[in-house]
Every structure is written in structure tokens, then in C-alpha cells.
Amino acid sequence: MSVACAPSCGLDQLGRRVAAALERARISPRDRIVVTSGGCASFVADSIEGAHHRVPLGRSLPFGLGLASAAPSRAIYVFLGDGEAAGVGGNHLIHAARRGDRIRTLVVNNEVLGGPGGFPSPTTPLGGRTAATPSGSTSPGLDLAALAGTAGAAWVGREIVSAGESLDALLEEFATATPFAFLEIVAPCYPAFGRWNGFASPEAMREALAERALAVGRLWPRREALP
Amino acid sequence: MKLLLGNEAVAAGAIAGGVTFFAGYPLAATSEIHLAFFRSLQSPGAAVVAEDTDSAVAAALGAGAGGGLGATALAGPTLGAAEELVLYGTDFRIPALIAVLGGRSDFSERMESAEQGAASRLRLHRAGSPLPPVWVPASSADCYALAKAAAHEAVARSAPVLLYLDDVIAHLREPVLLPVGSGDAEATTADSPPSSPEPVELYRTRDATVIVVAFGIVARAARTAVRLAREQGLRAGLFRPVRLWPFPVAELEAAVGRERAILVAELNDGQVWEAIAARGSAGARGSVRSLAESREGMLTPARILAAIREAA
């Protein structure tokens, strides 16, 4: 089972935005190492020049831990999907945040296991329908940014993929944020999630995502109390 | 000269061989390895308590990929998912040193008995990839020497190299001759690279009609059994694979001539016997027998001697 990808998820643009933010933050390709495994988040890394390790699914963060120790002059960026961040590598996220591993991790949260064709991920919201759960997910989704903050991350942010300039500003701050830094980017996956949940088009899904009451921007350390 | 547990000697040898980073999830069977690394690798973040075995192997590989040399220690049954990572390291040419202990789960019951139950699982197959080397020490001095050599080998081959310790070797306290000037396990500057260890140790095999194949602690019992057999006029010899995998087949074939019997003695259900018998080559003209013990926790010289007599 697989789904055809729709360009509307915005991950291609996200990759370019991350690359541009790294450039603005003056983190050159020689100064950084990128780690990914499976999942759509690894596409983001394809736009980023320089050393890139693609490791077995679930183990990007601990691999980054070893890298950070052996290559102290390099910045370590780990790109995860919600499946790896909250599922197969979920425990690693908790402990990387708790230990304060010298890693900055960007999670693309599309709220579905889209690669295998559409299964609920740990972040799929309550009632969210997928190919595997057409009558709706029966458990609430995990709030990844809140989890990272609770576990001890020094810097936590969240934004939607289509946020434009505010996303660029957040990405730039993330590029040099105090590790362990955690940035959640919420992105729509129309083929594996949107079309199962009553959205007429990828654009309609993206608009609905923009209207959803997500706390976005830099969440931690906080400048002011959240609404 | 120091008295070290096999586990402690592994850490000391690994550090002398150039290991710069250690990550592990401590279990009772491996805890002394972890402790020795924590005491020796003092720079911040150089020794980490990982959240599980997979993350420990992944972190060790990460250190190798970053230009250092990472190590980890795990118990045989936790090898499961970590196996994928070891093979990943082999395929992507990332050095690492991985010590594997015993064969049973880390239940506190029966901790006093030895086991070599992970032997066949450590033969990590993947079509098209070389088999990661697995070295098996039979003393604390061996633990030190082989860990050091394995660390060098990992860097030279740019690949994960494994050490396999049974529970007795891991927890036997024995003298180890450390290089002059090194403290407990603080020889951070690697002294001269050791020459590659011999993949086998032979004892009185030249004219033997029965060759005992044994590794780890069983090799020591077998050595005694061979000596006793000789005293009784039985022409026995010992073939100890120091490198368990890839199995030193050529060496075995050279040691075993015409009409000689092979007796494989091991603390499991006959895993290495199965691998040798399946090849059919070495023992084609003689017989390949198994003396496998997975319940009592030890093969004594007396039992091996009885099996030699039966095979002769």
C-alpha cells in the first residue's frame, strides 16, 4: 500500500527554507552534519548541502548523540517525521531532551504515517481518519512540542509549514538555538490524511491547518505567557 | 600487573586501542564494562547512559562516523534490533567496538551459570556484506588484548568489530599485564598497534585423532581435558577459535587431517557444531560430534574427557 505524493505538503519548500536559514545563521556545510532516517522528513534534508547520514529507522537521535561527541566543532541537525519522533524513536526524543544532547532536531509532523499508505501516527488527532482507521482514530494525538519541553529541551518551537516569513524567522533562530533544540513543523499530507478527512483539495486542507488553534512560534524558553 | 575482571579488561583494552566514546544501557551482566568506561572517559559527554541497546549501538556508530571511535556493551538477547545497526555500520563502513555478553536475558536467576547462547546469533548475515568479525577471549588478559586489537581492527577496516564474552570470562578476576605507565584503564594514548591476533589457538593437535573445538571458558576446560586424555594415552588436541566468526575454516581444515574426529564443546544447544557440521568440509572424512550443554552452566574437564574417550 502506498500513496502518491502531492506537492501541497510543502516539504520541498521547507527544505529550501531550512537551507536558506542555515545560510543566514552562517552555519556553512562544513560546520554541520545532518542525520535522517526514513519518513518524509528525510526529503527536507535533500535540499541541504553537506554531510548527511541516513541511518536505520528510529535511531537518528542516538546516532546524532555519538556524532556530537566525536565532532565537537560541528552543529548536528536531526530531521524526523512524527512517526520516528513520537513512535519508533519516541523514547530517544525524551532522553535526548532530558540529557540536553548537543542536537537540534526538526520534526515534520503531518499527523499520519503517510509513507506506508496511511496509518494513524502517535500525533494523529482524536477522530482523525486514515486508510487503516476509516472510522477515526480512537485516541488523542500526542503534543510533541509539549513533550519535548516537559522532557527538558532548552529551546522549543512550532510552526505550520505554510507560515512564510514567520517560519523563516523561527528557522533562523532554531539554527543556532541552545541544544537540545526542538522545532515542530506541522505540514498537511493530503493523500494519506486530508482526503480521508473531508477536505476537498490540498489547498482546503492547508487553509484549515492555518486556522487551527495551534500554539506557534517560539514556545520555550518563553518570552511571555501563552494565551 | 593488575587483577581485572574480564569486563574491566575489555574496557581497559578498548581505551588503550583508541576508543573515545562509550554509550550503553547497563545490565547486571555488563555493568562493570560500563563503570570502567565511565571512570576512564572523563571528558564531558564521552560516556553516556543510553536509553536502550539500540540507541547505544547507534550512538557508538555516530561517534565513529564523526571521526572518533565508539564502543558499547550489551547482553546477547538484547542484540535483536541492534543487529540492524551493526549491519548498517558494516555496509556504511563505520567503525565501532561492540562487546556482547553471554546468551540469556538479564534475569537475576541462574546468573551463576555460564552460557554461550548468542554464538550463532553473532554470525550476522547479510548477502553481499562481509561478516563482522567476532573475537572470543578466554581470560582477562585475552579480554584486554583482544579488545585493544579489535579497536585497531575496527578503525583499520572501518567497520564494527565484536567481542563475545561468556559469563565466566566476563566475571573472572585474573591478572592482566598492562603497559607501563598506564593506570587502571587510563592509557588514553594508544601505544604501538598490536599485530593482528591469531584467529586460532592450537594445543597438541599435530598428531591428534580427536580434536576438541571450544571457545571462551570451555576452551580452558577442554585444554585440561586434552592434557588428561594424553596422560591416559588418548591422542587428543584442542582447536580454539579465537575469532569465532567468520569461522577459521581453513585453519580447522589444516588442523584436522584424515580420519580424525571433531568434538565441538560449547555452552549452548550446539550452535557452533551446527555451523561446522553444516559445512561438511572439515569433518567430511571424520565425524563431527557435539558436546552441548545448555542447562548445567558448565562443561567440566571430566565431561569433555569422557566425550573424547567416546570419540576416540
Side-chain angles (χ1 to χ4, degrees):
Chain A
M1 190 163 71
S2 68
V3 292
C5 266
S8 58
C9 66
L11 293 193
D12 51 340
Q13 289 175 42
L14 178 63
R16 287 193 286 275
R17 285 178 187 278
V18 172
L22 289 169
E23 205 175 319
R24 289 197 301 282
R26 308 212 166 141
I27 308 282
S28 77
R30 317 178 39 158
D31 301 330
R32 65 196 186 215
I33 305 175
V34 170
V35 186
T36 66
S37 65
C40 301
S42 59
F43 303 150
V44 177
D46 292 344
S47 310
I48 296 163
E49 224 183 300
H52 173 193
H53 293 278
R54 195 161 173 173
V55 308
L57 182 63
R59 315 300 161 218
S60 305
L61 283 171
F63 192 88
L65 166 65
L67 272 178
S69 164
S73 63
R74 308 271 204 111
I76 313 296
Y77 297 96
V78 174
F79 295 164
L80 310 170
D82 47 291
E84 176 165 7
V88 60
N91 197 33
H92 305 322
L93 172 62
I94 293 171
H95 293 283
R98 177 185 63 78
R99 284 188 300 253
D101 290 356
R102 200 176 59 75
I103 292 171
R104 300 180 182 93
T105 190
L106 184 154
V107 175
V108 174
N109 180 8
N110 61 14
E111 304 182 312
V112 66
L113 300 181
F119 289 82
S121 98
T123 61
T124 299
L126 182 66
R129 291 189 289 272
T130 68
T133 53
S135 51
S137 177
T138 53
S139 47
L142 188 66
D143 184 337
L144 271 173
L147 174 69
T150 303
W155 188 97
V156 179
R158 173 160 55 203
E159 194 43 281
I160 55 173
V161 72
S162 52
E165 282 175 17
S166 58
L167 173 60
D168 289 338
L170 198 65
L171 286 171
E172 193 176 334
E173 190 178 328
F174 165 74
T176 56
T178 305
F180 180 82
F182 181 90
L183 177 58
E184 177 184 352
I185 305 290
V186 187
C189 180
Y190 184 75
F193 197 56
R195 70 190 177 96
W196 289 89
N197 289 281
F199 294 103
S201 67
E203 292 68 31
M205 189 186 183
R206 204 161 51 200
E207 280 162 28
L209 190 62
E211 282 167 21
R212 233 161 77 184
L214 286 170
V216 293
R218 174 144 71 77
L219 307 178
W220 186 266
R222 286 177 189 158
R223 287 199 176 114
E224 57 208 40
L226 287 171
Chain B
M1 185 83 78
K2 282 227 163 195
L3 282 172
L4 295 180
L5 294 177
N7 274 349
E8 293 166 344
V10 163
I15 289 167
V19 166
T20 59
F21 175 82
F22 176 84
Y25 186 85
L27 298 167
T30 58
S31 59
E32 297 91 357
I33 299 183
H34 298 245
L35 198 57
F37 272 110
F38 268 83
R39 285 181 174 158
S40 302
L41 297 173
Q42 292 284 344
S43 62
V48 180
V49 176
E51 53 272 22
D52 56 28
T53 300
D54 300 355
S55 59
V57 178
L61 289 170
L69 179 59
T72 188
L74 51 93
T78 63
L79 187 64
E83 187 179 321
E84 179 196 12
L85 289 153
V86 177
L87 292 170
Y88 167 76
T90 304
D91 286 349
F92 285 82
R93 302 187 57 82
I94 303 174
L97 180 64
I98 299 163
V100 181
L101 269 284
R104 77 174 63 78
S105 302
D106 195 51
F107 302 131
S108 47
E109 54 177 312
R110 298 191 66 229
M111 277 296 284
E112 73 285 355
S113 62
E115 166 130 16
Q116 298 175 322
S120 63
R121 291 180 68 194
L122 289 171
R123 196 179 177 203
L124 299 171
H125 293 272
R126 176 124 90 190
S129 289
L131 214 56
V134 180
W135 296 92
V136 185
S139 66
S140 287
D142 250 8
C143 286
Y144 180 87
L146 290 179
K148 186 173 166 183
H152 286 284
E153 187 183 20
V155 172
R157 294 169 56 122
S158 213
V161 177
L162 285 77
L163 290 173
Y164 181 40
L165 285 75
D166 56 65
D167 310 84
V168 176
I169 295 303
H171 295 107
L172 208 53
R173 194 176 289 282
E174 298 185 290
V176 179
L177 192 62
L178 296 166
V180 181
S182 78
D184 186 7
E186 290 153 4
T188 43
T189 49
D191 40 306
S192 60
S195 50
S196 285
E198 288 293 324
V200 299
E201 179 199 329
L202 300 176
Y203 175 62
R204 305 184 80 163
T205 53
R206 190 178 296 264
D207 63 340
T209 53
V210 178
I211 293 204
V212 184
V213 174
F215 53 96
I217 187 63
V218 183
R220 289 166 70 165
R223 200 182 173 90
T224 304
V226 164
R227 188 172 46 75
L228 294 172
R230 289 278 175 174
E231 283 169 9
Q232 296 174 16
L234 295 164
R235 278 155 55 192
L238 168 68
F239 179 95
R240 173 193 159 211
V242 180
R243 190 191 66 213
L244 187 58
W245 311 118
F247 194 86
V249 175
E251 286 82 351
L252 183 61
E253 283 173 357
V256 179
R258 241 169 249 275
E259 305 300 333
R260 295 183 187 178
I262 298 176
L263 173 68
V264 186
E266 52 192 323
L267 295 172
N268 55 43
D269 51 350
Q271 297 173 4
V272 172
W273 164 76
E274 206 167 280
I276 296 173
R279 288 192 69 93
S281 51
R285 280 167 294 187
S287 66
V288 186
R289 290 163 179 252
S290 173
L291 176 60
E293 176 56 70
S294 56
R295 287 148 98 65
E296 295 301 320
M298 187 43 64
L299 279 168
T300 58
R303 284 190 60 190
I304 299 171
L305 177 60
I308 290 172
R309 197 176 292 117
E310 225 169 85

